[in-house]
């Protein structure tokens, strides 16, 4: 299999809401999500040969959940020598208004 950048990742709000609720129920004290700005994501996607992103789960030195974002090429390989993103804004506390995905 090769990545094209046109893979279908669509999900209904109903299913996404169910899955995020399942997670919040199983992990009530954990973070609900992370925010990454458009520029960080766009800069990764604009790299030569990049067709998408991969997001890795991580723990920082304080033991807090983090996400690492890296570009991915058509051969399914991470563009590790390129741009990486972390420094997300965790939810909570930056969750926005209550909605089906976060409450």
């Amino acid at each position: 299999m090769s990545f094209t950048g046109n893979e279908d990742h669509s999900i209904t709000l109903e299913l996404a809401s169910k899955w995020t609720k399942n997670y919040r129920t199983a992990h009530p004290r954990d973070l609900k999500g992370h925010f990454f700005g458009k520029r960080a994501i766009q800069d990764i996607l604009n790299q030569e040969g990049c067709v998408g992103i991969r997001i890795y789960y991580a723990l920082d030195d304080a033991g807090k959940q983090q996400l690492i974002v890296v570009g991915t090429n058509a051969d399914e390989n991470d563009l590790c020598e390129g741009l990486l993103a972390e420094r997300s804004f965790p939810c909570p506390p930056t969750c926005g208004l209550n909605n089906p995905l976060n409450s």
Side-chain angles (χ1 to χ4, degrees):
M1 177 180 161
S2 293
F3 292 147
T4 66
N6 296 309
E7 292 75 15
D8 182 12
H9 300 284
S10 58
I11 187 171
T12 65
L13 178 58
E14 180 181 9
L15 185 56
S17 177
K18 179 182 179 209
W19 287 3
T20 58
K21 182 177 181 184
N22 290 346
Y23 179 84
R24 291 190 312 276
T25 300
H27 304 278
R29 292 188 173 98
D30 288 350
L31 294 174
K32 298 175 186 180
H34 296 256
F35 168 82
F36 288 91
K38 177 180 178 178
R39 187 180 72 202
I41 299 299
Q42 195 63 58
D43 286 349
I44 290 173
L45 290 172
N46 285 341
Q47 295 176 103
E48 184 176 336
C50 186
V51 298
I53 60 172
R54 182 171 283 127
I55 302 172
Y56 285 98
Y57 303 111
L59 291 174
D60 66 18
D61 292 337
K64 294 187 180 193
Q65 295 170 317
Q66 301 294 338
L67 296 175
I68 306 298
V69 181
V70 61
T72 308
N73 67 19
D75 294 324
E76 304 176 26
N77 295 316
D78 296 336
L79 301 174
C80 294
E81 301 301 319
L83 300 173
L84 302 174
E86 190 278 314
R87 305 292 179 233
S88 62
F89 292 87
C91 165
T94 55
C95 296
L97 298 175
N98 286 346
N99 65 64
L101 300 177
N102 72 10
S103 56

